[in-house]
Amino acid sequence: MARRYDSRTTIFSPEGRLYQVEYAMEAISHAGAAIGILAKDGIVLAAEKKITSNLLESSKSTEKMYKIDDHIACAVAGITSDANILINYARLAAQRYTLEFQEPIPVEQLLQNVSDLKQGYTQFGGQRPFGVSFLFSGYDRHFGFQLYQSDPSGNYGGWKATAIGANNQAASSILKTDYKPDITLKDAIQLAIKILSKTMDSTTLSAEKLEFSTLTKDDKDQVIYRVLTNKDVDQLLKDANLLTQPQQDS
């Protein structure tokens, strides 16, 4: 039955489903996992990097974490090339708002702009949905620290903790059990490591397979976005007794 209605994004099935949008979500479920946790003193984003080949030159910059503005960052799961288009759009929208109103763009307003663009690609013929989901972390003077999830349909929602990508259901079940509303940023990072250790397909954890970023405020009330270095990640894994030394070939 699905094959009669999945050739275009503009055709509803008799059950009221848009199969191309569902296929995009299915593609994301096979991508590297990403986790976002809202703490009382900041937000942590954690992601799994898929290493397809040992011969591939590793990226000097982050592969799953992106800074949108001084007060907004995101983690992605899905097709990276699709994500780059939306990230550039979001960065431009943020700078246009700052130029016009002389203040940082509210987090949800930026997310709504991006989601409206994604929704348009599900409604007009000749286009396919963006095959990427986002976790947006941000801070504004209206609502403080905020965490949002956005999917290919254009839907978005605010979360205290959520996961996207591979094994997201298993990760979400652990979050439901272990997340506490008064969790600190340090404990949130440890919780993210625990979840990735239990849900990643890889049997060993290392800094080359993981990315972490935090959004916090300093003593001067300035928003600080920081990507943890490989050394920092190794130390976190060591503290959690999860660090595996690479084996030497004999």
Side-chain angles (χ1 to χ4, degrees):
M1 177 67 73
R3 294 303 173 198
R4 297 172 56 188
Y5 303 100
D6 66 355
S7 60
R8 297 184 183 180
T9 59
T10 54
I11 299 177
F12 279 99
S13 73
E15 296 85 16
R17 299 164 65 179
L18 291 172
Y19 284 106
Q20 285 295 329
V21 176
E22 293 184 15
Y23 296 160
M25 294 181 180
E26 183 64 24
I28 293 166
S29 69
H30 298 291
I35 298 168
I37 302 175
L38 177 63
K40 64 180 182 180
D41 53 345
I43 304 173
V44 59
L45 297 176
E48 170 193 2
K49 290 192 292 186
K50 294 277 190 179
I51 301 176
T52 56
S53 173
N54 293 330
L55 300 177
L56 185 66
E57 180 68 29
S58 60
S59 175
K60 297 297 186 294
S61 60
T62 56
E63 183 178 310
K64 306 273 286 185
M65 307 289 175
Y66 297 88
K67 183 179 180 179
I68 305 297
D69 203 349
D70 290 338
H71 65 300
I72 302 176
C74 70
V76 304
I79 303 174
T80 305
S81 56
D82 285 7
N84 289 336
I85 299 295
L86 293 170
I87 289 167
N88 288 337
Y89 175 85
R91 286 170 173 167
L92 187 58
Q95 296 307 309
R96 282 174 173 165
Y97 185 96
T98 302
L99 179 64
E100 183 172 357
F101 298 104
Q102 299 300 307
E103 68 175 13
I105 187 171
V107 182
E108 186 172 1
Q109 183 169 338
L110 177 64
L111 186 61
Q112 187 171 1
N113 290 344
V114 175
S115 296
D116 286 346
L117 176 64
K118 295 170 81 171
Q119 188 276 336
Y121 277 73
T122 71
Q123 196 167 4
F124 300 103
Q127 299 171 328
R128 69 162 175 81
F130 287 96
V132 63
S133 284
F134 289 97
L135 294 179
F136 277 86
S137 64
Y139 178 90
D140 60 45
R141 61 186 177 88
H142 304 286
F143 299 107
F145 289 108
Q146 300 155 67
L147 175 66
Y148 293 95
Q149 176 184 338
S150 171
D151 62 41
S153 68
N155 287 329
Y156 72 91
W159 293 81
K160 295 178 180 178
T162 187
I164 56 176
N167 302 317
N168 62 83
Q169 292 182 345
S172 296
S173 65
I174 299 175
L175 285 170
K176 288 179 183 178
T177 304
D178 293 359
Y179 178 80
K180 302 292 188 298
D182 60 344
I183 192 172
T184 63
L185 187 70
K186 182 178 179 181
D187 291 337
I189 293 175
Q190 292 297 327
L191 177 57
I193 292 175
K194 174 185 174 181
I195 293 170
L196 288 172
S197 69
K198 293 186 176 182
T199 59
M200 281 176 55
D201 295 331
S202 177
T203 56
T204 59
L205 294 182
S206 66
E208 288 74 25
K209 299 178 181 179
L210 301 172
E211 285 184 5
F212 287 84
S213 69
T214 60
L215 195 74
T216 57
K217 296 184 71 176
D218 62 11
D219 297 335
K220 299 179 181 179
D221 209 36
Q222 297 294 315
V223 179
I224 304 297
Y225 169 71
R226 176 172 175 258
V227 177
L228 274 62
T229 64
N230 285 354
K231 184 177 180 180
D232 294 331
V233 176
D234 278 336
Q235 184 60 48
L236 290 171
L237 293 174
K238 184 178 180 181
D239 293 341
N241 296 320
L242 294 171
L243 181 62
T244 303
Q245 299 296 333
Q247 295 181 353
Q248 299 293 332
D249 294 334
S250 57

